[in-house]
Amino acid sequence: MIYITFPDGTVKEFEQPVDGMAVAKSISEGFAANCVAMEIDGNTMDLSLPLKKDATIRFITASDPEAVTILRHSAAHLMAQAISHIYPKAHFTIGPVVENGFYYDMDMEPVSEEDFAKIEAEMKKLVKAKIPLQRKEVSKDEALKFYANEPYKSEMISDLEDGTITFYTQGDFTDLCRGPHIPHTGFIKAFKLMKVSGAYWRGDPEKPQLQRIYGTAFFSKKELKAYLTLLEEAAKRDHRKVGTALDLFSFHDDAPGMPFFHANGMEIWNSLLAYWREEHRRAGYVETKTPLILNRVLWEKSGHWENYRENMYTVVIDETESAIKPMNCPGGMLLYRMKRHSYKDLPIRAAEIGLVHRHELSGVLSGLFRVRAFHQDDAHIFMTPDMIEEEILGVLKLVARMYSTFGLGFHLELSTRPEKSIGSDLQWEQATNGLASALDAYGADYQVNKGDGAFYGPKIDIHIKDAIGRTWQCGTIQLDMSLPERFDLSYIGEDNEKHRPVMIHRVIFGSIERFFGILVEHFAGKFPLWLAPVQVVILPINDHLVPFAAEVKDLFSAAGLRSFIDDRTESLNKKVRGAQLNKIPLIVTLGEKEKANNTLAVRTLDGKVSYGVGRDDFINAAVSNILARKLEMDVLA
RNA sequence: GCCAGCGUAGCUCAGCUGGUAGAGCUACUGAUUUGUAAUCAGUGGGUCGGGGGUUCGAGUCCCUCCGCUGGCUCCA
């Protein structure tokens, strides 16, 4: 007789032997049919597992967040089983769950997406058959014997401890797996194979290349469909596509990974930076600028030559080797060293919109998101140790302020001392506590990533969330205990002695190019008025009204509005359509009525049209919307 | 860098198993003078990513280089 406690506190008695499924059925058959797995005393396991002693139980059903992970793991097995039928020669390696699905790495003949249909068809058959997944504990010897002809599995088993090895069998397919799994394949009602790629065994380029097939799975077709719709929405917003359509930027074979910004793109860029400068000036920053090319000796001193050499472009000038800067900090160190500093001068907040070049591997380049030349909205803050908390808090507040202007939410992560690091315990403690207490003072929840800090100091990473729920790491605040040492920075303290200042590097947009790309996707090209390259398009209704349109444009220009006249001899409908497709926030139509009454007909991107709008009312509303950098279009309100 | 797929007009794309390039939009010209998402007609526009090869003949096949896209240990 054993006693099982349920989440609501009730306790039931069961005769031995009893497994999780039987306990679930004691609630109801219908409930049991929806159970995916169970949690026994906090450990997730299979429903088929026998319960041998008193325990607390919680059933995991499709609606629990962890259930989908179990489902996807089982889906990976399902795919492997299907593939073992179609490609009997395939050797299986690992098949884990990843962020939005799962994958399985297999040593097999190359497959392409065209092969997915037949694999999926086979998977569907197996789902229909509702094949149970059965767990079995095996000894290491048994396991090795079973996988005698499977080199990858044998290798994995060799790394495992005897007594902890389990197999899962579903029909004719058995896989080494820790589990847990769903009771039978019938749960996998909605799945899709997504893509195929190459991956090395254990990620090692020296080892054999495997076929990796990615898939995803959900408990319902509806959820799968919602996920696929999200992907479609993301594809529609793809900044490379929108950037081409709106004539914002381009890439050319002559400079791979280095973006060209067009006139429209530069309007956005300049508006973005004007805003950035305004906020930084207000927050007490000064702006500096350091050269693109600096002598090798400097990079040796900073440690980049030793640690970052393979990402740096170098150039020989007058027989002296130099490097194009991949980071702005060494230049910033030189500026600090120009003068003697008193503790009274600190903190010094020196910003720099620095253009950096990094030689990224050709295969990782991706639109504006991963480039070889980009601008960082960098700043180095030099301070005394007791200023850490306040300065970090200041950066966090600036971050919050600036991101909210774009309607971007964010969360914070603190990374602490890694195994390999420089500096003393005391320094790390002081630095990490400084960051943590700033985070506490700021008041938002944050996640701690133990050991994820840089070797030269702890850091805070800021992850933003865009309009369709995707997250991106943009901002970062890194405390640096290395460079002040290497460059022997100092300030004179109250005691009239030299002291080492504390320095942080911080960025808010991060890479401006990347942030630009994120904004394109976040807004889906429909920029708020203050960022829109063209704010107003003027459509004269016929050719005779073009001179009148020019007068109106002059009024707009005088007020600082970016406008242009579409004077093509095309139909109004066509010009409206063009303006809408170009995502121009305001369309002003001018006809005889407007000319007679000195009014405007104004159409916004949502298709609403207001007639008889006063010119001054319109201009004032637009200008105040821009000055306030509003996210919403309220010009017609 | 490695693997897979891709590269045809400014843009989006068609071009079957090799037979000397095509559509829509854009642009330009003319007609129309338009009241809120595509007026009509005409014209222009391509070394089919570069180079090499096979062939009587290559956008199509092969080799090579370049570029783009997606991946490249969130460890059974």
Side-chain angles (χ1 to χ4, degrees):
Chain A
M1 216 44 109
I2 56 167
Y3 295 92
I4 302 295
T5 312
F6 290 84
D8 64 357
T10 55
V11 179
K12 275 192 193 172
E13 254 181 71
F14 289 92
E15 294 273 0
Q16 288 271 37
V18 65
D19 63 13
M21 187 46 95
V23 177
K25 280 181 179 165
S26 79
I27 296 170
S28 86
E29 288 279 342
F31 176 75
N34 276 320
C35 287
V36 175
M38 62 182 171
E39 198 181 87
I40 300 296
D41 297 330
N43 302 314
T44 317
M45 37 190 63
D46 297 285
L47 288 169
S48 59
L49 224 64
L51 302 172
K52 290 179 180 150
K53 54 182 181 64
D54 296 356
T56 305
I57 197 165
R58 183 175 74 88
F59 288 104
I60 297 170
T61 66
S63 50
D64 289 304
E66 63 263 60
V68 77
T69 308
I70 298 169
L71 180 82
R72 285 171 180 168
H73 196 176
S74 302
H77 282 228
L78 173 71
M79 180 175 82
Q81 184 180 18
I83 286 173
S84 75
H85 292 170
I86 302 169
Y87 306 90
K89 287 184 198 149
H91 295 285
F92 296 90
T93 69
I94 60 167
V97 171
V98 289
E99 196 171 340
N100 289 307
F102 61 86
Y103 68 78
Y104 214 116
D105 281 352
M106 295 150 291
D107 189 351
M108 62 187 290
E109 61 182 273
V111 286
S112 77
E113 297 193 8
E114 285 160 26
D115 302 314
F116 286 0
K118 62 178 184 237
I119 300 171
E120 286 175 338
E122 181 66 16
M123 288 168 74
K124 276 193 186 126
K125 259 201 256 168
L126 300 170
V127 168
K128 231 173 166 185
K130 297 191 178 176
I131 305 166
L133 280 85
Q134 286 158 326
R135 184 176 190 271
K136 189 182 165 199
E137 288 177 22
V138 292
S139 71
K140 195 161 178 169
D141 285 348
E142 275 177 85
L144 286 171
K145 204 173 284 170
F146 181 83
Y147 278 129
N149 297 318
E150 292 290 333
Y152 303 100
K153 293 291 184 187
S154 304
E155 188 181 325
M156 281 186 271
I157 291 164
S158 321
D159 295 342
L160 298 174
E161 265 178 51
D162 202 356
T164 64
I165 300 170
T166 51
F167 280 178
Y168 277 79
T169 300
Q170 52 193 100
D172 58 3
F173 179 77
T174 295
D175 202 359
L176 169 72
C177 186
R178 178 193 294 143
H181 280 282
I182 52 174
H184 62 77
T185 56
F187 278 84
I188 312 170
K189 291 191 183 78
F191 65 85
K192 185 170 162 52
L193 302 189
M194 304 299 289
K195 52 198 168 199
V196 58
S197 74
Y200 297 107
W201 170 234
R202 308 236 151 161
D204 182 349
E206 302 293 314
K207 302 218 161 99
Q209 172 97 27
L210 309 169
Q211 296 289 313
R212 170 171 298 180
I213 301 181
Y214 284 87
T216 192
F218 293 89
F219 283 101
S220 69
K221 294 225 159 71
K222 201 176 151 192
E223 288 167 288
L224 173 63
K225 190 149 183 241
Y227 175 65
L228 296 176
T229 307
L230 173 73
L231 291 186
E232 270 173 41
E233 179 57 32
K236 261 190 245 164
R237 289 165 177 252
D238 189 314
H239 71 280
R240 291 166 298 199
K241 210 172 154 160
V242 175
T244 304
L246 301 188
D247 196 14
L248 304 179
F249 59 84
S250 56
F251 286 90
H252 301 271
D253 291 1
D254 309 275
M258 306 194 187
F260 289 62
F261 281 85
H262 302 186
N264 279 343
M266 281 311 291
E267 292 288 2
I268 297 172
W269 182 281
N270 287 332
S271 301
L272 209 52
L273 282 189
Y275 171 60
W276 187 91
R277 292 198 159 99
E278 191 180 302
E279 289 289 0
H280 280 73
R281 187 164 297 136
R282 198 195 325 231
Y285 286 74
V286 293
E287 186 173 346
T288 58
K289 189 170 176 67
T290 63
L292 222 55
I293 301 175
L294 300 116
N295 196 298
R296 168 178 172 165
V297 175
L298 182 77
W299 299 107
E300 283 171 350
K301 190 167 187 174
S302 69
H304 287 87
W305 197 263
E306 193 188 342
N307 298 310
Y308 206 70
R309 176 80 180 82
E310 58 199 30
N311 284 306
M312 290 160 68
Y313 293 106
T314 56
V315 57
V316 175
I317 303 165
D318 293 342
E319 290 163 34
T320 305
E321 198 166 17
S322 291
I324 300 172
K325 66 176 174 182
M327 295 184 197
N328 303 304
C329 27
M333 297 301 107
L334 295 185
L335 287 183
Y336 181 87
R337 274 165 49 112
M338 289 282 297
K339 294 181 202 162
R340 299 195 91 184
H341 295 280
S342 155
Y343 70 96
K344 294 176 191 164
D345 303 334
L346 304 183
I348 291 173
R349 305 187 190 97
E352 172 171 12
I353 303 293
L355 172 58
V356 297
H357 289 70
R358 298 179 183 176
H359 183 74
E360 302 287 353
L361 292 179
S362 60
V364 305
L365 302 177
S366 174
L368 291 175
F369 288 167
R370 195 77 182 267
V371 289
R372 285 178 170 163
F374 60 99
H375 295 73
Q376 288 182 304
D377 63 323
D378 219 339
H380 299 109
I381 303 180
F382 303 92
M383 60 194 142
T384 64
D386 58 336
M387 292 175 180
I388 294 177
E389 181 182 330
E390 199 186 327
E391 280 308 306
I392 302 281
L393 183 60
V395 176
L396 289 175
K397 283 181 176 166
L398 184 61
V399 160
R401 213 181 134 80
M402 292 184 68
Y403 287 164
S404 72
T405 302
F406 302 97
L408 294 163
F410 67 94
H411 76 268
L412 302 163
E413 297 184 6
L414 172 65
S415 298
T416 60
R417 185 176 192 171
E419 279 184 26
K420 209 184 124 194
S421 62
I422 59 148
S424 68
D425 291 355
L426 180 71
Q427 277 178 311
W428 272 92
E429 199 187 313
Q430 202 175 25
T432 310
N433 288 346
L435 297 198
S437 52
L439 283 165
D440 292 334
Y442 177 71
D445 286 338
Y446 60 90
Q447 180 185 321
V448 177
N449 300 325
K450 277 207 166 132
D452 254 5
F455 74 91
Y456 51 78
K459 61 173 182 170
I460 295 171
D461 287 327
I462 304 139
H463 298 253
I464 61 172
K465 190 170 204 176
D466 75 9
I468 55 172
R470 296 172 302 175
T471 58
W472 312 88
Q473 197 225 300
C474 287
T476 176
I477 307 171
Q478 305 191 351
L479 207 141
D480 192 331
M481 299 187 278
S482 168
L483 286 181
E485 201 77 35
R486 282 172 173 269
F487 283 85
D488 193 27
L489 301 189
S490 64
Y491 67 90
I492 306 298
E494 268 179 282
D495 53 5
N496 202 28
E497 296 290 323
K498 270 192 180 178
H499 297 274
R500 187 78 70 211
V502 172
M503 188 194 81
I504 60 167
H505 314 253
R506 50 108 281 192
V507 290
I508 293 179
F509 293 159
S511 151
I512 298 173
E513 281 77 353
R514 181 162 173 272
F515 191 73
F516 186 111
I518 291 170
L519 286 185
V520 170
E521 303 202 0
H522 174 62
F523 291 122
K526 295 179 191 169
F527 289 97
L529 198 57
W530 70 277
L531 282 173
V534 175
Q535 294 165 324
V536 191
V537 61
I538 303 168
L539 307 183
I541 228 163
N542 62 47
D543 291 351
H544 316 300
L545 289 161
V546 171
F548 173 61
E551 283 174 37
V552 174
K553 182 183 154 61
D554 286 345
L555 287 178
F556 290 168
S557 300
L561 296 176
R562 298 189 285 265
S563 65
F564 90 97
I565 303 170
D566 185 351
D567 58 2
R568 293 175 302 165
T569 57
E570 294 289 351
S571 69
L572 182 66
N573 280 338
K574 183 164 183 167
K575 291 197 266 193
V576 167
R577 177 179 149 83
Q580 295 267 125
L581 291 177
N582 282 314
K583 317 246 193 296
I584 297 169
L586 294 165
I587 301 173
V588 163
T589 312
L590 299 175
E592 297 299 343
K593 282 181 218 155
E594 284 72 30
K595 189 176 179 184
N597 305 326
N598 278 340
T599 58
L600 307 170
V602 181
R603 176 176 169 132
T604 45
L605 261 187
D606 54 13
K608 284 190 195 129
V609 188
S610 301
Y611 296 93
V613 179
R615 286 177 181 179
D616 290 346
D617 293 344
F618 172 80
I619 291 172
N620 290 339
V623 168
S624 72
N625 181 290
I626 290 165
L627 287 178
R629 296 195 175 90
K630 286 189 185 167
L631 286 167
E632 318 76 42
M633 172 55 67
D634 60 356
V635 168
L636 292 181

